[in-house]
Amino acid sequence: MVKTRRRPYSEQRPTDLGGGVWSVPVPIPGNPLGYTLVYLIESPAGPVLVDAGWNHPDAWLALRDGMGAAGVDVREVRGVVVTHFHPDHAGLAGQVREESGAWIAMHEADAALVRLMHEFEDGAHRDFQADMLKRAGADAVEVEEAAAHRPRPPAVPDLTLRDGDLVDLPGRRLRVVWTPGHTPGHVCLHLADADRLFTGDHVLPGITPHVGVYPYDRADVDPLGDFLASLRKVAGLGGLEALPAHEWAFPDAGARAMEILAHHEEKLQALAVLLEGAGGPLTIWETAGRMTWNRPWEELPAMLRGMAAGEAAAHLRALEVRGVIRRTPGAEPVTFALHS
Ligand SMILES: [Zn+2]
């Protein structure tokens, strides 16, 4: 598959995709991803947005002006469906609601996380982060650096969604396809009256979304296993036109989902080989340090290192669930070795 090269935000324009759907690029200041594609779906009862973009004054202007290009005033917006709670998707939903009285809808699993974030106080958040890093084998300096980050939680939604629900969009059929993995409540949205799938971050044309386990040593979840199952679910929908939240729209969501599936299966195999050759059990941190990232481990800043460790943890956990590796009983920090 030939990949179109990603173009910078400055070259993005609000675009009429036909069939009453517009894409509105909204910048993510200071982030190499560049922009979120917010989608506007027209309906006789007013437009609904899929995602809203990053909470920043420049992003707000881009969203407002982009909707203006589609002939829509922000005050007319009926609702915002958020594909997942991350700030580049949910960030501006609260401001859209303030201006328009729109509802905000999100899958119930992500809605529960958002409520939890609002309850968490700064001190408790710091302790939680520090404890999680220590148990994964991070050193004191890394714990100190990473625990200092505290993102602002997104707006609490008015409506929660479940798999198969129809979004409140009179005259159109927009169905929720629950695709956990990138977050527990990530959803794709199938515009069934037009064979289009809003894929959020689940299926992107040139990159793959972050899938991590938090806290790193959790043994009661399997986000990567969920993600791979969610990719199969999208592949099962057939060749729908994909309208992703980043990069660019592309023709066949299912084909790309299968590619991403193969990528992770390769990564899982490589990790099993790595553990086999390690000569002893590894902590999550040691494992992450030996995996291949887009930059050498030593050069990753604290936040990216924390995400890489989450990704390593997700792959370890998936291999554990499959019975390929096991965690050493009672080890503190937790370690993993190939199942003998
Ligand atoms: Zn995301």
Side-chain angles (χ1 to χ4, degrees), residues 119-276:
E119 285 165 17
F120 236 20
E121 287 173 5
D122 285 350
H125 181 264
R126 213 168 27 244
D127 293 349
F128 171 84
Q129 287 275 97
D131 188 46
M132 165 173 95
L133 288 153
K134 269 185 230 150
R135 293 203 315 265
D139 67 37
V141 176
E142 288 168 323
V143 168
E144 190 56 41
E145 280 175 355
H149 285 278
R150 174 84 212 253
R152 191 150 39 122
V156 175
D158 308 285
L159 305 170
T160 53
L161 304 170
R162 291 184 189 195
D163 191 39
D165 281 356
L166 277 178
V167 174
D168 172 27
L169 186 62
R172 308 214 65 164
R173 292 177 60 77
L174 186 65
R175 191 174 292 282
V176 174
V177 183
W178 183 34
T179 50
H182 179 53
T183 69
H186 189 289
V187 295
C188 294
L189 295 149
H190 182 194
L191 189 59
D193 57 67
D195 283 339
R196 285 174 156 167
L197 189 70
F198 300 94
T199 60
D201 281 359
H202 181 53
V203 182
L204 299 165
I207 53 175
T208 62
H210 172 70
V211 178
V213 173
Y214 302 96
Y216 302 124
D217 59 351
R218 264 183 92 167
D220 61 336
V221 291
D222 179 12
L224 184 62
D226 294 344
F227 179 63
L228 301 180
S230 296
L231 288 171
R232 281 187 208 100
K233 190 173 186 175
V234 164
L237 297 174
L240 301 173
E241 182 191 2
L243 301 179
H246 304 289
E247 303 193 303
W248 57 88
F250 57 100
D252 190 340
R256 176 62 184 150
M258 293 306 287
E259 267 185 20
I260 299 173
L261 199 62
H263 160 81
H264 282 284
E265 288 298 340
E266 270 172 38
K267 214 168 158 180
L268 283 167
Q269 277 192 10
L271 179 55
V273 169
L274 189 160
L275 283 166
E276 194 176 14

Side-chain angles (χ1 to χ4, degrees), residues 85 106 109-119 153-157:
F85 74 86
M106 187 185 292
D110 273 20
L113 284 174
V114 169
R115 281 189 213 103
L116 208 65
M117 283 181 232
H118 280 269
E119 285 165 17
V156 175

Side-chain angles (χ1 to χ4, degrees), residues 132-133 142 146 210 212-214 216 284-285 288 297 300-313:
M132 165 173 95
L133 288 153
E142 288 168 323
H210 172 70
V213 173
Y214 302 96
Y216 302 124
I284 293 164
W285 223 254
W297 175 254
L300 289 177
M303 210 192 82
L304 292 183
R305 198 177 270 202
M307 287 177 75
E311 193 122 337

Side-chain angles (χ1 to χ4, degrees), residues 37-59:
L37 293 172
V38 170
Y39 294 96
L40 184 151
I41 310 171
E42 292 165 355
S43 92
V48 162
L49 300 182
V50 176
D51 287 329
W54 186 264
N55 189 358
H56 184 280
D58 295 348

